Amino acid sequence: MQQNTRTIRDKFLLTVKGIAMGAANKVPGVSGGVVAFVAGFYEEFIYSLQKINLKALKLLINLRFGSFWRYINGKFLGYLILGMLISYFSVSKILDYLIIHYELFVWSTFFGMIIGSIIYIVKDFDDWSKKNIGFILIGIIAGISISLLEPARENDNLWFVFICGIIGVSGMTLPGLSGSFILILLGNYVLLLVDSVNALYDTLTDIIQWDFSFLDNTERVRLLKVLVVFSLGSASGLVILSHALGYLLKYYKNITFALIIGFITGSLGVVWPWKTKIYKTDITGITLQDAKGNPILDNYDRFIPNFNISETYIAILFISIGVCIVLWLEWYGNRRKKALQ
């Protein structure tokens, strides 16, 4: 009975971790890989994805589904993916609402969580050689450089969407590199993570009501095609990146961790809470809009907070809460490990 309870709890916790990863990937500047890193299942996540290879394909072709499921660590990946799917249709919508109405406090919380993540990783990193410090600096420079790039225009070409899927999923496998922010830079964040996901949600709702009129809606069909291609690109990216990272973690673990520390530190610039959106304008100063009438994001104008207003101190409180969340997760994870030993 105790074993069954523990199994149910582990499945629930894995699903919650998947929800957290999915929510983090949806927020520009935040990396789902950081969640995996801090929650202590990053390496298992990478190595499990590595198992999706030719051997797994042969098992699948030969209809050896049980062997295939065990080989790819299916229970682990399955509950994580379930959590991510739940997140995209629930938690991510809540996050969208919070970012619209409480943007400063949401960014402050994530800023604090990234600081907590840096504390967590640096605390256990014990190879501070000149070489690794150099790789940390390279990671920081790369993270800052990405935050300063200007976003492109929306592009729904399916080949480009497939590439966006490969690049956008990087946030799951590379802690500190935000896949959502990369999609903003590529110009396709709204198309791929908002419009297409909403189109799928609306389509599923219609199907449940036995309404297939969406098949005549050219815009809905276009968005569904985009989502399918983006999903295929994301799946391909997960496999490709996991194999590359698995190799690096096996043979160059400290260097890889040094780069991750740098990436996460450099990403602080992306999630700096005090910023205003800058929209693209034409030569006359008129704000440019996309096909749906939404202003086109150019970048962010970051500024030093005003310490004469209470809002700043509330934001600092949320930063502290973010740090505490990560450190509590670490404490809870260590406690559970000791309990299971």
Side-chain angles (χ1 to χ4, degrees):
M1 184 69 178
Q2 185 177 1
Q3 184 66 34
N4 290 337
T5 302
R6 180 178 296 170
T7 302
I8 293 171
R9 183 176 63 181
D10 289 341
K11 290 177 181 178
F12 174 74
L13 288 174
L14 262 180
T15 305
V16 170
K17 289 173 182 177
I19 291 173
M21 282 190 75
N25 278 322
K26 184 78 182 286
V27 180
V30 184
S31 164
V34 170
V35 174
F37 215 103
V38 172
F41 63 93
Y42 178 72
E43 289 187 54
E44 183 178 3
F45 178 58
I46 295 300
Y47 290 139
S48 297
L49 289 173
Q50 270 191 291
K51 293 292 185 178
I52 303 175
N53 51 29
L54 286 176
K55 182 177 178 179
L57 183 60
K58 289 177 182 177
L59 290 172
L60 202 57
I61 291 173
N62 293 326
L63 305 181
R64 296 175 60 187
F65 300 117
S67 299
F68 167 79
W69 193 245
R70 287 189 297 272
Y71 179 72
I72 67 168
N73 199 7
K75 286 184 179 180
F76 173 81
L77 288 178
Y79 282 105
L80 272 183
I81 292 171
L82 173 63
M84 292 176 198
L85 290 174
I86 292 172
S87 173
Y88 274 107
F89 292 107
S90 57
V91 177
S92 61
K93 288 187 174 295
I94 296 172
L95 270 175
D96 290 341
Y97 173 85
L98 292 175
I99 287 176
I100 291 172
H101 295 90
Y102 305 100
E103 185 174 20
L104 174 61
F105 303 140
V106 172
W107 286 120
S108 297
T109 304
F110 282 118
F111 188 80
M113 291 178 73
I114 291 178
I115 291 175
S117 302
I118 295 169
I119 295 171
Y120 167 81
I121 299 171
V122 168
K123 182 171 63 65
D124 294 329
F125 188 73
D126 55 5
D127 187 358
W128 295 95
S129 63
K130 290 182 180 179
K131 179 177 70 174
N132 285 335
I133 291 174
F135 278 108
I136 290 173
L137 291 174
I138 290 172
I140 291 173
I141 292 169
I144 294 173
S145 299
I146 288 172
S147 70
L148 297 176
L149 294 175
E150 292 189 3
R153 290 179 179 274
E154 183 175 292
N155 184 346
D156 65 355
N157 179 278
L158 294 182
W159 282 109
F160 183 70
V161 167
F162 184 81
I163 294 171
C164 285
I166 295 175
I167 297 174
V169 81
S170 59
M172 283 192 189
T173 52
L174 290 169
L177 187 61
S178 168
S180 296
F181 189 72
I182 295 295
L183 290 179
I184 285 179
L185 296 177
L186 294 173
N188 273 3
Y189 175 80
V190 173
L191 173 67
L192 300 176
L193 292 187
V194 179
D195 292 343
S196 62
V197 172
N198 288 339
L200 177 61
Y201 180 83
D202 293 339
T203 300
L204 292 175
T205 302
D206 289 342
I207 291 174
I208 291 172
Q209 297 173 353
W210 212 247
D211 179 4
F212 294 91
S213 61
F214 66 87
L215 293 172
D216 298 322
N217 186 330
T218 55
E219 176 65 11
R220 178 86 68 83
V221 172
R222 179 186 76 91
L223 289 172
L224 291 175
K225 285 181 181 177
V226 164
L227 183 60
V228 169
V229 173
F230 176 67
S231 299
L232 290 173
S234 298
S236 302
L238 272 178
V239 175
I240 293 168
L241 289 170
S242 64
H243 279 77
L245 280 166
Y247 175 84
L248 291 174
L249 285 170
K250 185 175 181 179
Y251 296 103
Y252 304 99
K253 186 171 183 176
N254 286 337
I255 291 175
T256 304
F257 275 31
L259 283 170
I260 287 172
I261 291 171
F263 268 131
I264 295 175
T265 305
S267 71
L268 284 171
V270 180
V271 291
W272 177 251
W274 294 277
K275 58 191 173 187
T276 54
K277 293 177 181 176
I278 302 174
Y279 297 104
K280 288 189 175 182
T281 59
D282 60 18
I283 56 174
T284 63
I286 296 175
T287 301
L288 297 175
Q289 297 180 335
D290 60 23
K292 304 173 190 66
N294 301 313
I296 300 173
L297 180 67
D298 189 29
N299 213 313
Y300 293 101
D301 183 15
R302 299 167 181 84
F303 57 89
I304 302 297
N306 181 358
F307 289 95
N308 293 321
I309 57 176
S310 60
E311 187 180 59
T312 299
Y313 294 96
I314 297 174
I316 292 173
L317 174 63
F318 276 98
I319 291 175
S320 302
I321 291 172
V323 174
C324 290
I325 288 171
V326 173
L327 297 182
W328 178 83
L329 284 172
E330 181 203 4
W331 171 82
Y332 180 75
N334 290 336
R335 185 184 173 190
R336 286 201 68 239
K337 285 178 183 177
K338 290 179 181 178
L340 292 173
Q341 288 175 353

